[in-house]
Amino acid sequence: APCYYDATHVLSAYAIYQLPFGRGQKFGGDSRKAVDEVIGGWEFSPLLSWRSGWPLPPFGADNSGTFGRGARPDCLSLPSITNTPAIVGGVGVGRQWFVNNGNFVQPAPGTFGNCAPQLRGLRSPRYFDLDFSIHKNFQITQRFRLQFRTDFVNALNHPQFNVPSMGLGQTMGQITSAQPPRNIQLALKLYY
């Protein structure tokens, strides 16, 4: 079985781009010093993260009588990913990632379940995130520099769903939580 933290496909990209405004730049190249202090020297830094989903480990009650951790159910087949917007016949709110239509059942008393710890072909939602920063440095003296910056975490404000519930029961396959929404922060830093 794949390892529980196996994200088969991962892409991370980062860039720093100096915006073309201010003295010596394409736009405002002949601007005065006061104007250049406002429009010049800005940098844009995007950070892109994308990965495929994690393998999902089903678990159930310990029918073996060994009091072992991570008791697994019997796997009869793999469920299909439905990813429906509303939970049908479930408890709470969220998304129905898959429906357990008898795919997973409790093992017989005194036996261990036959499901692999992580199933091939059954994965959590993928993760896609774009963060970026816009910042400008103000050189005060040769030694001191002041930086104004604003950072956007989850800039596109896409929902980043967490893994679904994998315990046998009526909430199996339901996603009821997500990563935080967009976060914008402002900062003023003094470098010396």
Side-chain angles (χ1 to χ4, degrees):
C3 187
Y4 70 92
Y5 56 83
D6 171 52
T8 307
H9 304 98
V10 176
L11 171 68
S12 293
Y14 181 81
I16 299 176
Y17 176 69
Q18 186 173 11
L19 299 177
F21 300 104
R23 284 189 178 180
Q25 300 293 328
K26 184 175 182 178
F27 303 104
D30 58 350
S31 60
R32 296 185 174 176
K33 183 168 176 50
V35 173
D36 184 58
E37 286 295 323
V38 174
I39 67 169
W42 288 93
E43 291 184 344
F44 174 73
S45 303
L47 171 63
L48 176 71
S49 301
W50 177 87
R51 67 161 170 73
S52 53
W54 306 115
L56 295 174
F59 59 92
D62 178 20
N63 283 355
S64 67
T66 61
F67 305 106
R69 284 182 20 179
R72 298 188 300 261
D74 279 340
C75 293
L76 305 179
S77 63
L78 282 180
S80 298
I81 303 292
T82 56
N83 192 18
T84 54
I87 295 174
V88 179
V91 176
V93 295
R95 296 188 74 80
Q96 187 72 46
W97 189 243
F98 67 87
V99 178
N100 180 17
N101 288 322
N103 307 92
F104 306 108
V105 295
Q106 288 289 2
T111 65
F112 295 101
N114 67 6
C115 279
Q118 283 79 33
L119 300 171
R120 293 187 189 279
L122 184 60
R123 291 192 172 249
S124 67
R126 72 181 184 349
Y127 179 83
F128 174 79
D129 183 42
L130 176 66
D131 303 333
F132 68 84
S133 171
I134 299 174
H135 60 274
K136 177 178 173 55
N137 293 314
F138 299 91
Q139 199 68 42
I140 300 170
T141 66
Q142 187 172 355
R143 180 179 173 199
F144 293 96
R145 174 173 52 109
L146 191 65
Q147 182 184 77
F148 170 75
R149 68 182 301 127
T150 180
D151 299 309
F152 296 80
V153 179
N154 190 6
L156 302 176
N157 205 26
H158 286 168
Q160 307 293 338
F161 296 114
N162 292 328
V163 297
S165 170
M166 290 304 295
L168 282 178
Q170 69 180 41
T171 61
M172 186 175 206
Q174 293 179 9
I175 299 173
T176 57
S177 63
Q179 297 295 309
R182 179 186 302 126
N183 184 358
I184 302 172
Q185 59 187 13
L186 303 172
L188 195 60
K189 296 181 177 181
L190 177 64
Y191 292 91
Y192 56 92

